[in-house]
Structures are given as C-alpha cells and as structure tokens.
Amino acid sequence: MRHLDKKSRMIFEKELQTRSESKCELCESTSDLSVFEVQPKRNENPDDYAYLCGSCVEQIAHPDKVNANHWRCLNNSMWSAVPAVQVLAWRMLKQLKGEGWTDELLEMLFLDEETQEWANAGMASDVVHNDANGAILQAGDTVVLTQDLKVKGTSFVAKRGTAVRRISLVADNAEHIEGKVEGQRIVILTKFVRKK
Ligand SMILES: [Zn+2]
C-alpha cells in the first residue's frame, strides 16, 4: 500500500473490509487482516488488491513456510469474483501442484484472459539465484556459508561453514536469499554461500 496516499489508503481499506465482510478473502480468518497488493502491480483499483490475514500473507511471501493444508481454503475462495483473489488462488494452486487435490482445483479454475496474463506475470520469474559456484538455488535448499559474515545491526558473526537450512529467495533480487542463522532471520548474499 506504500504507493497510495493516506486518504486513498483509508478509502481502500474501508472498501476491502466491506467487500470481504472483514474476513481474509482466501481463508476467512478474521485475525491480523491487511490490504495486500498483488504483484505485479496493475491499477490502484480495489479489484487489484486482496484483504488477507497474517498467515496467508506470510505464506505467500515465504514459499518455504507454505503449509499445504492451510490452502484447502482455496476450495471456496478460488470462486471469488475479485480478480486479485483469483490470481492469488491460481498461483498458490500452481505452487502446490502435485498435491492431488490442488491439481483437481486447478483444472476447474478458469480465469479470464486478462486475469490469466496477470497471474502468469507474477509466476514467471526471470530472477535466478546462483551460489558462489554458479549452482541454481531454490527455496527450501540448504546452503553453507563460504566465509564469516557479520550480521548487520548486531555484533554477531555467522561463521564460515555454518549451514543455513530452508532458505527463501528474495524475489526481486538475484543476489539475496534469506535464511535463519542462530534463530535470526537474515539476508545473505548468494556469492557467500554454497549449495549443500
Ligand atoms: Zn488467510
């Protein structure tokens, strides 16, 4: 929502609350709701935004945290009339492809041409993350640090050889991944890691 000024943001939020009856438009949860901008950004139109709970937002942002069972909610929400919600549903079903039930739902979900293009645009990522040796990194991989790294904003140094499990990729930056070191989630440069 950072692109909107304060007034439009309030109007937006109100519209989305009414539309969603103050429930997450994907899973119907009522906790921690916020306006979610579906990427890539199209218009500043309520149809291009969804009203989502914290859990859905978190899982959309971090593919390694996706809990397939949570997304059984798509059984209902994929029939939403809101393009932004259709796009999110379609992408999540694609991401969970191979779960059986997700394939069945995906077969039933038809998006109009424009909406489908939008959905595809968010999936087709030409950002490739390579490790120090040029190997392609994927979300969920384990990597090893190839040198000592000072963790920004702390006095903590992550030692060379430390394994970082279940990394996630920073979608818009090929040089950045995220992972947990000593319980802390940090951004790591891909040139300082080696895929395990
Ligand atoms: Zn939700």
Side-chain angles (χ1 to χ4, degrees):
M1 294 302 286
R2 58 193 180 279
H3 308 284
L4 298 178
D5 62 47
K6 208 172 163 194
K7 192 171 158 231
S8 353
R9 190 177 333 180
M10 277 171 56
I11 296 171
F12 246 76
E13 179 130 24
K14 261 221 136 77
E15 273 194 65
L16 266 67
Q17 275 167 357
T18 308
R19 182 177 84 192
S20 66
E21 298 172 329
S22 293
K23 282 187 250 168
C24 174
E25 290 184 288
L26 291 174
C27 77
E28 300 195 346
S29 161
T30 53
S31 69
D32 197 11
L33 296 167
S34 64
V35 175
F36 184 84
E37 183 181 299
V38 178
Q39 300 296 331
K41 186 174 156 58
R42 296 201 307 182
N43 309 303
E44 282 177 8
N45 175 320
D47 278 356
D48 293 350
Y49 291 78
Y51 204 50
L52 302 185
C53 75
S55 176
C56 284
V57 170
E58 166 105 352
Q59 293 186 56
I60 289 169
H62 298 283
D64 58 317
K65 288 187 184 160
V66 167
N67 167 4
N69 266 332
H70 174 86
W71 297 100
R72 288 188 180 264
C73 58
L74 296 177
N75 208 352
N76 296 320
S77 49
M78 72 180 219
W79 306 107
S80 165
V82 179
V85 176
Q86 296 172 4
V87 164
L88 291 173
W90 185 84
R91 286 182 190 161
M92 188 51 75
L93 289 172
K94 270 279 192 206
Q95 194 179 321
L96 292 170
K97 216 170 176 335
E99 290 275 339
W101 61 271
T102 54
D103 296 351
E104 276 170 38
L105 294 185
L106 206 51
E107 260 175 46
M108 290 190 282
L109 180 55
F110 289 99
L111 308 181
D112 67 43
E113 201 176 324
E114 207 181 315
T115 309
Q116 185 66 61
E117 264 176 34
W118 187 24
N120 292 343
M123 291 293 278
S125 165
D126 30 10
V127 177
V128 177
H129 295 71
N130 295 108
D131 75 359
N133 300 327
I136 293 174
L137 297 169
Q138 282 172 331
D141 279 348
T142 298
V143 298
V144 174
L145 303 182
T146 58
Q147 63 175 74
D148 290 359
L149 297 178
K150 173 134 181 25
V151 179
K152 243 194 193 159
T154 70
S155 57
F156 173 69
V157 175
K159 289 279 178 212
R160 172 174 178 207
T162 303
V164 183
R165 294 190 171 77
R166 293 165 69 88
I167 58 163
S168 47
L169 308 177
V170 176
D172 55 4
N173 190 333
E175 291 175 358
H176 287 178
I177 57 170
E178 285 185 358
K180 252 187 180 174
V181 176
E182 297 259 349
Q184 214 180 339
R185 196 155 189 91
I186 59 170
V187 172
I188 307 168
L189 294 177
T190 51
K191 62 182 173 189
F192 298 140
V193 303
R194 183 168 46 77
K195 187 169 173 160
K196 213 179 167 185

PDB file of all heavy atoms in Angstrom, residues 120-130 171-174:
ATOM      1  N   ASN A 120       0.017 -15.156 -14.629  1.00  0.00           N
ATOM      2  CA  ASN A 120       1.263 -15.683 -15.194  1.00  0.00           C
ATOM      3  C   ASN A 120       2.431 -14.747 -14.935  1.00  0.00           C
ATOM      4  O   ASN A 120       3.537 -15.196 -14.628  1.00  0.00           O
ATOM      5  CB  ASN A 120       1.138 -15.856 -16.709  1.00  0.00           C
ATOM      6  CG  ASN A 120       0.161 -16.951 -17.079  1.00  0.00           C
ATOM      7  OD1 ASN A 120      -0.187 -17.786 -16.252  1.00  0.00           O
ATOM      8  ND2 ASN A 120      -0.302 -16.938 -18.312  1.00  0.00           N
ATOM      9  N   ALA A 121       2.164 -13.467 -15.071  1.00  0.00           N
ATOM     10  CA  ALA A 121       3.235 -12.470 -14.941  1.00  0.00           C
ATOM     11  C   ALA A 121       3.902 -12.577 -13.569  1.00  0.00           C
ATOM     12  O   ALA A 121       5.100 -12.401 -13.448  1.00  0.00           O
ATOM     13  CB  ALA A 121       2.674 -11.070 -15.149  1.00  0.00           C
ATOM     14  N   GLY A 122       3.130 -12.882 -12.562  1.00  0.00           N
ATOM     15  CA  GLY A 122       3.697 -12.978 -11.222  1.00  0.00           C
ATOM     16  C   GLY A 122       4.466 -14.266 -11.004  1.00  0.00           C
ATOM     17  O   GLY A 122       5.283 -14.371 -10.102  1.00  0.00           O
ATOM     18  N   MET A 123       4.204 -15.268 -11.838  1.00  0.00           N
ATOM     19  CA  MET A 123       4.852 -16.569 -11.668  1.00  0.00           C
ATOM     20  C   MET A 123       6.175 -16.614 -12.399  1.00  0.00           C
ATOM     21  O   MET A 123       7.152 -17.119 -11.899  1.00  0.00           O
ATOM     22  CB  MET A 123       3.981 -17.698 -12.230  1.00  0.00           C
ATOM     23  CG  MET A 123       2.722 -17.975 -11.464  1.00  0.00           C
ATOM     24  SD  MET A 123       3.049 -18.636  -9.824  1.00  0.00           S
ATOM     25  CE  MET A 123       3.314 -20.374 -10.179  1.00  0.00           C
ATOM     26  N   ALA A 124       6.148 -16.099 -13.643  1.00  0.00           N
ATOM     27  CA  ALA A 124       7.327 -16.216 -14.488  1.00  0.00           C
ATOM     28  C   ALA A 124       8.414 -15.312 -13.955  1.00  0.00           C
ATOM     29  O   ALA A 124       8.434 -14.123 -14.218  1.00  0.00           O
ATOM     30  CB  ALA A 124       6.978 -15.843 -15.926  1.00  0.00           C
ATOM     31  N   SER A 125       9.297 -15.874 -13.189  1.00  0.00           N
ATOM     32  CA  SER A 125      10.364 -15.067 -12.624  1.00  0.00           C
ATOM     33  C   SER A 125      11.634 -15.311 -13.427  1.00  0.00           C
ATOM     34  O   SER A 125      12.054 -16.436 -13.604  1.00  0.00           O
ATOM     35  CB  SER A 125      10.573 -15.468 -11.170  1.00  0.00           C
ATOM     36  OG  SER A 125      11.801 -14.963 -10.734  1.00  0.00           O
ATOM     37  N   ASP A 126      12.221 -14.236 -13.935  1.00  0.00           N
ATOM     38  CA  ASP A 126      13.484 -14.454 -14.642  1.00  0.00           C
ATOM     39  C   ASP A 126      14.658 -14.172 -13.713  1.00  0.00           C
ATOM     40  O   ASP A 126      15.791 -14.100 -14.130  1.00  0.00           O
ATOM     41  CB  ASP A 126      13.583 -13.640 -15.939  1.00  0.00           C
ATOM     42  CG  ASP A 126      12.822 -12.343 -15.864  1.00  0.00           C
ATOM     43  OD1 ASP A 126      12.381 -11.989 -14.753  1.00  0.00           O
ATOM     44  OD2 ASP A 126      12.668 -11.676 -16.878  1.00  0.00           O
ATOM     45  N   VAL A 127      14.335 -14.007 -12.429  1.00  0.00           N
ATOM     46  CA  VAL A 127      15.395 -13.814 -11.449  1.00  0.00           C
ATOM     47  C   VAL A 127      15.912 -15.189 -11.025  1.00  0.00           C
ATOM     48  O   VAL A 127      15.174 -15.998 -10.481  1.00  0.00           O
ATOM     49  CB  VAL A 127      14.863 -13.054 -10.220  1.00  0.00           C
ATOM     50  CG1 VAL A 127      15.951 -12.917  -9.167  1.00  0.00           C
ATOM     51  CG2 VAL A 127      14.354 -11.685 -10.634  1.00  0.00           C
ATOM     52  N   VAL A 128      17.172 -15.457 -11.327  1.00  0.00           N
ATOM     53  CA  VAL A 128      17.756 -16.743 -10.955  1.00  0.00           C
ATOM     54  C   VAL A 128      18.817 -16.499  -9.887  1.00  0.00           C
ATOM     55  O   VAL A 128      19.649 -15.615 -10.025  1.00  0.00           O
ATOM     56  CB  VAL A 128      18.384 -17.443 -12.190  1.00  0.00           C
ATOM     57  CG1 VAL A 128      19.048 -18.751 -11.777  1.00  0.00           C
ATOM     58  CG2 VAL A 128      17.335 -17.677 -13.252  1.00  0.00           C
ATOM     59  N   HIS A 129      18.748 -17.276  -8.826  1.00  0.00           N
ATOM     60  CA  HIS A 129      19.715 -17.157  -7.736  1.00  0.00           C
ATOM     61  C   HIS A 129      20.782 -18.234  -7.889  1.00  0.00           C
ATOM     62  O   HIS A 129      20.461 -19.415  -7.895  1.00  0.00           O
ATOM     63  CB  HIS A 129      19.012 -17.308  -6.387  1.00  0.00           C
ATOM     64  CG  HIS A 129      18.031 -16.206  -6.095  1.00  0.00           C
ATOM     65  ND1 HIS A 129      16.836 -16.075  -6.757  1.00  0.00           N
ATOM     66  CD2 HIS A 129      18.078 -15.180  -5.211  1.00  0.00           C
ATOM     67  CE1 HIS A 129      16.193 -15.012  -6.288  1.00  0.00           C
ATOM     68  NE2 HIS A 129      16.917 -14.453  -5.353  1.00  0.00           N
ATOM     69  N   ASN A 130      22.025 -17.802  -8.024  1.00  0.00           N
ATOM     70  CA  ASN A 130      23.138 -18.752  -8.139  1.00  0.00           C
ATOM     71  C   ASN A 130      24.041 -18.644  -6.928  1.00  0.00           C
ATOM     72  O   ASN A 130      24.271 -17.555  -6.420  1.00  0.00           O
ATOM     73  CB  ASN A 130      23.982 -18.426  -9.381  1.00  0.00           C
ATOM     74  CG  ASN A 130      23.200 -18.613 -10.667  1.00  0.00           C
ATOM     75  OD1 ASN A 130      22.840 -17.650 -11.323  1.00  0.00           O
ATOM     76  ND2 ASN A 130      22.924 -19.850 -11.004  1.00  0.00           N
ATOM     77  N   ALA A 171      12.596 -12.388  -4.101  1.00  0.00           N
ATOM     78  CA  ALA A 171      12.050 -12.496  -5.457  1.00  0.00           C
ATOM     79  C   ALA A 171      12.639 -11.490  -6.443  1.00  0.00           C
ATOM     80  O   ALA A 171      12.886 -11.810  -7.590  1.00  0.00           O
ATOM     81  CB  ALA A 171      10.540 -12.356  -5.416  1.00  0.00           C
ATOM     82  N   ASP A 172      12.895 -10.277  -5.971  1.00  0.00           N
ATOM     83  CA  ASP A 172      13.291  -9.251  -6.945  1.00  0.00           C
ATOM     84  C   ASP A 172      14.794  -8.963  -6.899  1.00  0.00           C
ATOM     85  O   ASP A 172      15.256  -7.993  -7.467  1.00  0.00           O
ATOM     86  CB  ASP A 172      12.481  -7.972  -6.720  1.00  0.00           C
ATOM     87  CG  ASP A 172      12.600  -7.475  -5.280  1.00  0.00           C
ATOM     88  OD1 ASP A 172      13.364  -8.080  -4.511  1.00  0.00           O
ATOM     89  OD2 ASP A 172      11.944  -6.489  -4.941  1.00  0.00           O
ATOM     90  N   ASN A 173      15.550  -9.793  -6.215  1.00  0.00           N
ATOM     91  CA  ASN A 173      16.995  -9.554  -6.151  1.00  0.00           C
ATOM     92  C   ASN A 173      17.747 -10.884  -6.221  1.00  0.00           C
ATOM     93  O   ASN A 173      17.752 -11.660  -5.276  1.00  0.00           O
ATOM     94  CB  ASN A 173      17.345  -8.805  -4.869  1.00  0.00           C
ATOM     95  CG  ASN A 173      18.787  -8.324  -4.876  1.00  0.00           C
ATOM     96  OD1 ASN A 173      19.646  -8.915  -5.540  1.00  0.00           O
ATOM     97  ND2 ASN A 173      19.044  -7.252  -4.159  1.00  0.00           N
ATOM     98  N   ALA A 174      18.418 -11.098  -7.365  1.00  0.00           N
ATOM     99  CA  ALA A 174      19.088 -12.373  -7.614  1.00  0.00           C
ATOM    100  C   ALA A 174      20.269 -12.590  -6.674  1.00  0.00           C
ATOM    101  O   ALA A 174      20.776 -13.699  -6.568  1.00  0.00           O
ATOM    102  CB  ALA A 174      19.545 -12.434  -9.063  1.00  0.00           C
TER     103      ALA A 174
END
